[in-house]
Amino acid sequence: METLSFLLDGFMVALTPMNLVWVTIGGFLGTIIGMLPGLGPATGVAVLLPLTFSMGPTAALITMGGVYYGAMYGGSRASILINTPGDGAAVAATFDGYPMTLKGRAESALAVSAIASFIGGVFATICMVAIAIPVARFALKFGPAEYFMLFLFALSATASMTEGNRLRGFIATILGLMIATVGIDGQSGVSRFTMGILELQSGIDFLIVIIAVYALGEVFKSFKNIDTGNVNVQKKFGKIWLSKEEWKRSVWPILRSAPLGFFVGALPGAGGTMASLMSYNNEKQLSKHPEEFGEGAIEGLAAPESANNAASVGAMIPMLTLGIPGSGTTAVMMGALLLLGLQPGPMLFQQQPLIVWGLIASMFVGNIILAVMNIPLAGLLVRVLSVPPKILYPIVLGLAFVGAYAISYSVMDFYLLVLFGLLGYFMSKTKFPATPMILAVIVGNNMEQSFRRAYKISDGDIGIFFGSPICLILFSLTVVSIVYPLAKGLLKKKASAVA
Amino acid sequence: MKNEKVFSFILTLILVFTMGLTAEGQKDASADGSVRYPKGNFDFVAPGGAGGGWDLTIRTTAKVLKDTGLVKVPMPVRNNPGAGGSVHLTSLQEKKGSDKIITVYSSPLILTQLNGTTDYGYKDVTPLACLIADYAVFVVAADSPYKTMNDLLDALKNDIKSVKIGGASSVGSMDHIQFLMMAKAAGIENLDEIDYISFDDSATAQVLGGHIDMFSTGLSEVLGLINSGDLRALAQSADHRVGTGVVAQIPSCVEQGIDETFVNWRGIFGAPDMPEYAVEYWRKTLAEMVKTPEWLDACITNGWDDAYLDAPDFDVFLAKVNENYKTILTDIGMY
Amino acid sequence: MSLSIIPSLLCFVLGLVYTTATVLLPDASVGRAYEPKIFPMMLGIALIILSLSLLLRELKNQSAGQDKEKVSLYKEAGFQKILMTCLFSVLYTLIFDKAGYVISTVFFLEMELILFNGKKNWKVNTAVAVLFSLFIYIVFSKLLGVYLPLTPGIWI
């Protein structure tokens, strides 16, 4: 009951006209920033940081919150329309979102993305009100060994999902992990595989690899169609909405993915990318027609969109309850709290209840405003598809390069961009799946470091990886994720042999 | 093919054009004599990611300078993270003589050169002023068996592998070195055998969850959790008590018989070979800034200790610190 | 050679090179000396094993006559344009810092638009290249504070 009265106070704060204006502005700017490649929520919040100085702490936090989920809404727009994800969390939206666009169903894709984001965000905010503290305490149980097993599970599930050829999926995973080993090793200070290049010492930024493989890879592939004159431009646009059938197929995936995303988001260091990919894998396992995944299955877009917005809410939990940033974006927001003279941590709820509950209430308000704003905005954006590809693709290239520059301010990354663009192109030519590689690049460093931390803590005893119930559960899931598709394949073979 | 000829023609044209521009630009930059300064935007750079200590310091500096009206031109802050600040340090070497770039560094400026991450060090930037000091603090979970710094050090002496130390920086960098300095002062000799586990940014959660025994960090990083009682501070590294309330009750290492201090200074630097007029301007401006109430307030909320040093003193200080760190890194075989 | 054999061979070679490079890594001076090598070693060996099994499977498929698809990449439509794009990207990288964002991007886009849209449409191409570069410059540098390199001597 006490919580509810706090929440009510929070709504009083969030619904003041000025704060409503701020969350709308923040959400709008966030959506725009999220659409630009290379600029994700973290950059968005950092860029707007100086503007928030002149506001009070509550208004500042609410504005930054708006930017954060605005960027999550916006991030998937470019994934769906031009196959160019703006950040890691938007990668999963390319899997089925872009095929939907190619099939002329961009309107449904944009609609389901906004609706799923909305439901995911609101659901996670309700969870946050109800169980923030226990979730934060539970997340502390994740030590290095647990993280390693979590990453292992996510990788094996993604790799063994690869249609047709699991072996290629695992090879792609290994390649991604290798890319992630470049740079200074945090546990020993030894610099590895950098070939003496200073810029490589801090590793290869996974965003560069994502932009290269998806955007440049797509441009490279398009030359073939341009040369053969085999291109089509969408001229007619429908309403941004879902048919009954589409809604029926999406609703359960959305509802299932929200709690998953919320929890994974609350783990410091796991984040939206892991959440959206895990929910994608999950839905593909559960689906009655997994063969449609990757070809424009609407569930395959609805699930990760719901999960990544839920994760962005979940990521606020460690920041607000413990003063531990759970993601790049919350790290920036925490910096902002300090600049505003607030001390994030367990005392924040007690010392500044109005600020915290105002922020939580604004998450409800912000998600509603964003959903309402995004439907007409999508109606405008979808017109991008009426630009002829011969003009659109050079622009995608231009965006890819400026995005890469915005990540590190270094032209060194341009060479990496071209290299990985070519790699992406050849991989798709030779039927190697890109997704397992991308996920491996994203989690690779964390995964190895978790392994090494656990190894040091246990003095080299491998038993630590099976030492807790969480580890054992994750390990069983890993085994199932590898064995289940194999067994299913064998059964099918048997069945067809009998018949 | 005809196509290619046209390409190469256009290409040459553009290249020639840009070369011309570049040459002209360089002439323009070396303006002489009486310069109007500051002119146009400054370029404030945090060599680490947004939300980190460097980021917070330079953004606070920019905010105070703007709020007090000491600097009237815009001071946008950007981040240029990578390799413990070394990426930015290297890119600064290409901006020799710039009067626009203002940046912040702390102990890693010296450590990254000593441990071989980069060839550049404190001599390759222009020190303008040391601003603040933060101190190391060694924290354990509230239910930890270690009550004092000596409990923990004794356990290490009995079995060097029995205590797992975590920190946010990589091996051979600040969080690691600050603890080794204490361990050395307490008489532990096999420093290189102490298990130090580097967590990028999540070590707070790890010590709370009991996955590591002790977290070596900066005082300002864990203020909230010390105040709430979730973490217990065994010791801090200043030569005096710092802060107020619960923080003021944390004993220093010196009080516990460990005769060593560690100061994480943070200072403002310019590009190498910064012009004389710019150095003068910033020395004067920063000297005024540290006296403003706005700055003093910011120091209190962030738990920073005032450690203002003007450029010449700062230079001497840096040379001294450099020697101290060298000794420790030699002990663990990283120098 | 069949299309599917080359990549598995390449992966095999990469596995060997990577494993060798891992062995040659310097020892860690703190903690256990071999620690930085554990994980890369596992990756290297895994890649060697996986690429070998893929190679064997492809060879088996080939002799069974299942996989007859033969493609030479460089003959495929558009491949030369891919190479041209890479070349332009390298040039773009070289002049990016010196010439400033706007000028170098106009050049790069102009070249790419010739590849995609043809020389004949140079008016459209130039308009797109100039407008895009200016738009991005203003949005990033002026509105968002993400600073792109300036052209020396000009305000932009």
Side-chain angles (χ1 to χ4, degrees):
Chain A
M1 271 300 95
E2 202 191 6
T3 313
L4 278 185
S5 89
F6 273 130
L7 187 62
L8 215 63
D9 289 344
F11 271 108
M12 304 293 265
V13 175
L15 289 174
T16 55
M18 228 26 232
N19 284 341
L20 275 177
V21 170
W22 286 130
V23 75
T24 312
I25 294 179
F28 180 73
L29 287 176
T31 310
I32 305 288
I33 290 172
M35 286 189 299
L36 297 169
L39 301 187
T43 336
V45 174
V47 158
L48 296 175
L49 207 57
L51 295 181
T52 59
F53 286 164
S54 44
M55 311 170 183
T58 319
L61 259 188
I62 286 178
T63 314
M64 286 187 289
V67 174
Y68 191 1
Y69 10 97
M72 300 303 271
Y73 273 83
S76 48
R77 297 290 169 274
S79 304
I80 293 170
L81 292 173
I82 54 175
N83 205 24
T84 307
D87 69 338
V91 170
T94 60
F95 301 162
D96 280 286
Y98 189 62
M100 282 180 83
T101 298
L102 291 180
K103 291 190 169 154
R105 289 166 61 210
E107 295 88 344
S108 310
L110 292 170
V112 82
S113 144
I115 294 170
S117 298
F118 169 71
I119 299 177
V122 170
F123 180 91
T125 313
I126 296 173
C127 289
M128 175 145 172
V129 172
I131 51 172
I133 308 272
V135 165
R137 293 281 156 192
F138 180 71
L140 290 180
K141 289 203 174 25
F142 273 70
E146 284 81 4
Y147 274 108
F148 176 74
M149 295 312 262
L150 176 72
F151 294 136
L152 192 68
F153 166 57
L155 284 184
S156 75
T158 309
S160 60
M161 277 300 163
T162 316
E163 264 330 294
N165 199 335
R166 237 152 258 128
L167 206 45
R168 283 182 154 81
F170 282 105
I171 290 183
T173 308
I174 300 284
L175 287 179
L177 290 174
M178 285 181 164
I179 295 171
T181 54
V182 174
I184 290 188
D185 165 38
Q187 302 306 327
S188 65
V190 172
S191 92
R192 300 184 301 185
F193 315 114
T194 58
M195 293 165 281
I197 301 167
L198 181 79
E199 280 87 350
L200 288 182
Q201 288 201 335
S202 46
I204 294 172
D205 197 307
F206 66 79
L207 277 173
I208 300 283
V209 184
I210 290 174
I211 295 178
V213 168
Y214 287 97
L216 262 72
E218 186 62 23
V219 171
F220 288 160
K221 268 183 265 174
S222 74
F223 278 119
K224 185 176 170 187
N225 297 334
I226 300 262
D227 268 16
T228 50
N230 178 20
V231 283
N232 34 14
V233 179
Q234 192 170 351
K235 289 269 186 259
K236 272 194 202 153
F237 295 99
K239 240 176 86 183
I240 304 286
W241 204 243
L242 292 178
S243 70
K244 252 210 180 109
E245 166 68 17
E246 286 171 326
W247 169 245
K248 247 193 190 149
R249 286 182 60 171
S250 324
V251 60
W252 281 109
I254 292 176
L255 291 178
R256 276 195 294 260
S257 302
L260 178 70
F262 171 73
F263 182 72
V264 175
L267 290 177
T273 314
M274 284 279 289
S276 55
L277 282 165
M278 284 177 77
S279 73
Y280 184 85
N281 288 340
N282 191 23
E283 284 311 318
K284 198 170 171 185
Q285 292 270 23
L286 292 171
S287 172
K288 283 190 201 97
H289 21 73
E291 70 285 351
E292 283 178 31
F293 275 69
E295 305 289 329
I298 197 159
E299 308 91 304
L301 178 60
E305 285 297 276
S306 165
N308 85 29
N309 260 51
S312 70
V313 175
M316 302 254 190
I317 289 187
M319 173 183 86
L320 291 175
T321 58
L322 297 169
I324 300 168
S327 66
T329 315
T330 45
V332 181
M333 290 179 76
M334 234 181 87
L337 281 176
L338 290 169
L339 278 174
L340 293 162
L342 294 174
Q343 188 65 59
M347 310 293 273
L348 194 61
F349 268 94
Q350 283 132 42
Q351 288 168 351
Q352 306 279 358
L354 272 188
I355 295 180
V356 179
W357 287 100
L359 175 69
I360 293 174
S362 86
M363 290 179 190
F364 285 108
V365 181
N367 266 298
I368 294 170
I369 293 178
L370 274 163
V372 171
M373 191 159 65
N374 262 273
I375 300 280
L377 198 63
L380 284 178
L381 282 173
V382 74
R383 312 264 147 191
V384 160
L385 298 176
S386 65
V387 176
K390 339 181 247 186
I391 306 277
L392 186 61
Y393 282 119
I395 290 181
V396 170
L397 266 183
L399 286 173
F401 277 95
V402 78
Y405 188 76
I407 292 166
S408 64
Y409 294 96
S410 151
V411 288
M412 248 308 288
D413 286 344
F414 288 9
Y415 294 116
L416 293 178
L417 203 60
V418 174
L419 265 175
F420 287 115
L422 284 173
L423 179 67
Y425 173 76
F426 287 122
M427 282 176 70
S428 85
K429 281 281 144 205
T430 52
K431 302 192 181 68
F432 278 87
T435 321
M437 181 179 86
I438 294 291
L439 179 62
V441 174
I442 294 172
V443 305
N445 184 46
N446 240 325
M447 181 172 167
E448 180 190 359
Q449 294 298 317
S450 301
F451 173 80
R452 299 271 303 285
R453 287 164 192 153
Y455 192 82
K456 250 190 211 173
I457 287 175
S458 70
D459 288 320
D461 176 10
I462 299 298
I464 190 172
F465 295 107
F466 308 96
S468 77
I470 300 176
C471 282
L472 288 174
I473 291 171
L474 287 167
F475 180 71
S476 336
L477 286 172
T478 310
V479 173
V480 168
S481 78
I482 295 173
V483 172
Y484 177 69
L486 280 178
K488 215 161 79 175
L490 281 179
L491 281 179
K492 248 187 204 164
K493 248 187 207 165
K494 240 186 193 170
S496 62
V498 169
Chain B
M1 257 164 69
K2 204 177 158 220
N3 257 349
E4 265 135 57
K5 273 190 190 159
V6 178
F7 278 154
S8 52
F9 177 67
I10 299 179
L11 219 152
T12 329
L13 257 185
I14 291 182
L15 278 178
V16 170
F17 179 57
T18 50
M19 297 294 175
L21 280 177
T22 326
E24 208 177 322
Q26 274 158 358
K27 242 186 280 160
D28 190 55
S30 61
D32 58 348
S34 59
V35 266
R36 198 161 63 83
Y37 187 82
K39 193 176 99 184
N41 292 5
F42 277 113
D43 183 13
F44 276 41
V45 190
W54 286 330
D55 186 64
L56 186 64
T57 311
I58 197 146
R59 282 184 198 275
T60 308
T61 309
K63 184 171 185 272
V64 171
L65 288 173
K66 179 169 167 264
D67 290 351
T68 53
L70 280 169
V71 177
K72 300 228 164 44
V73 299
M75 293 163 284
V77 179
R78 65 182 168 94
N79 298 85
N80 189 6
S86 309
V87 167
H88 177 56
L89 192 56
T90 308
S91 69
L92 272 181
Q93 305 311 311
E94 289 162 22
K95 307 270 169 62
K96 274 202 169 93
S98 161
D99 58 2
K100 296 272 184 218
I101 299 181
I102 300 296
T103 191
V104 58
Y105 271 108
S106 60
S107 314
L109 173 70
I110 288 172
L111 285 166
T112 47
Q113 187 186 27
L114 292 175
N115 67 25
T117 307
T118 167
D119 293 337
Y120 303 111
Y122 72 102
K123 292 203 167 99
D124 301 291
V125 281
T126 309
L128 297 171
C130 183
L131 288 185
I132 48 170
D134 185 13
Y135 301 99
V137 66
F138 306 104
V139 292
V140 296
D143 57 2
S144 162
Y146 306 117
K147 306 280 182 213
T148 69
M149 193 66 179
N150 282 315
D151 289 351
L152 186 126
L153 290 168
D154 289 341
L156 264 182
K157 279 179 200 159
N158 281 334
D159 177 4
I160 198 80
K161 294 286 178 195
S162 65
V163 186
K164 306 294 177 185
I165 318 289
S169 59
S170 73
V171 161
S173 205
M174 202 171 69
D175 291 351
H176 188 198
I177 298 302
Q178 66 193 19
F179 177 71
L180 292 186
M181 285 172 75
M182 300 307 157
K184 189 181 181 187
I188 296 177
E189 274 158 17
N190 38 352
L191 293 179
D192 56 334
E193 285 174 41
I194 296 178
D195 272 325
Y196 170 82
I197 299 139
S198 150
F199 292 84
D200 302 327
D201 46 27
S202 52
T204 321
Q206 298 299 320
V207 72
L208 281 172
H211 305 287
I212 50 175
D213 299 309
M214 192 271 277
F215 177 29
S216 161
T217 184
L219 196 47
S220 57
E221 311 279 327
V222 284
L223 276 182
L225 288 159
I226 292 177
N227 278 324
S228 71
D230 289 87
L231 289 177
R232 179 167 62 235
L234 298 180
Q236 41 93 348
S237 69
D239 55 2
H240 56 280
R241 293 283 175 111
V242 289
T244 52
V246 184
V247 175
Q249 290 165 26
I250 305 171
S252 68
C253 284
V254 182
E255 282 174 58
Q256 300 183 54
I258 304 149
D259 192 22
E260 185 62 273
T261 57
F262 179 88
V263 183
N264 180 24
W265 46 273
R266 282 188 205 145
I268 301 290
F269 295 81
D273 302 335
M274 196 182 199
E276 199 52 40
Y277 59 83
V279 175
E280 287 305 317
Y281 172 85
W282 278 103
R283 279 177 60 186
K284 204 178 105 243
T285 310
L286 291 172
E288 276 173 45
M289 181 193 78
V290 294
K291 286 184 217 119
T292 61
E294 286 88 345
W295 176 254
L296 296 172
D297 279 350
C299 284
I300 290 168
T301 34
N302 291 312
W304 294 334
D305 227 20
D306 171 48
Y308 174 75
L309 286 176
D310 195 12
D313 300 332
F314 193 22
D315 237 358
V316 177
F317 172 76
L318 288 172
K320 199 184 92 204
V321 173
N322 193 44
E323 288 310 310
N324 284 350
Y325 294 171
K326 210 186 261 178
T327 330
I328 284 285
L329 283 167
T330 313
D331 284 346
I332 59 167
M334 286 193 77
Y335 178 70
Chain C
M1 226 195 289
S2 151
L3 183 61
S4 47
I5 289 181
I6 304 170
S8 43
L9 267 180
L10 280 178
C11 285
F12 178 66
V13 174
L14 176 70
L16 287 180
V17 172
Y18 186 86
T19 313
T20 320
T22 303
V23 174
L24 296 176
L25 281 177
D27 280 348
S29 57
V30 276
R32 299 174 193 81
Y34 60 89
E35 266 188 35
K37 300 178 194 171
I38 308 175
F39 198 72
M41 195 55 104
M42 297 197 290
L43 296 180
I45 293 170
L47 187 63
I48 292 175
I49 294 172
L50 287 172
S51 60
L52 265 184
S53 30
L54 183 66
L55 187 67
L56 289 178
R57 196 158 84 187
E58 301 295 348
L59 284 173
K60 209 170 109 194
N61 282 353
Q62 206 176 32
S63 60
Q66 284 178 358
D67 187 9
K68 285 235 174 90
E69 193 189 359
K70 285 185 189 180
V71 183
S72 34
L73 276 171
Y74 59 93
K75 274 190 199 152
E76 189 169 301
F79 190 69
Q80 288 189 351
K81 292 194 174 175
I82 293 180
L83 291 183
M84 296 295 277
T85 301
C86 294
L87 178 71
F88 294 141
S89 307
V90 172
L91 287 172
Y92 185 38
T93 312
L94 292 176
I95 63 171
F96 193 83
D97 273 332
K98 293 199 180 72
Y101 179 75
V102 175
I103 303 249
S104 58
T105 307
V106 168
F107 154 76
F108 177 64
L109 281 190
E110 190 82 55
M111 293 292 124
E112 285 300 324
L113 281 157
I114 290 174
L115 280 186
F116 273 97
N117 203 17
K119 268 189 319 231
K120 266 178 289 173
N121 302 320
W122 65 272
K123 281 184 199 160
V124 181
N125 293 353
T126 312
V128 170
V130 172
L131 287 179
F132 173 86
S133 310
L134 284 176
F135 175 76
I136 291 291
Y137 177 80
I138 290 169
V139 170
F140 277 69
S141 273
K142 301 287 166 191
L143 300 180
L144 295 180
V146 176
Y147 297 99
L148 300 170
L150 296 172
T151 302
I154 311 183
W155 60 273
I156 207 165

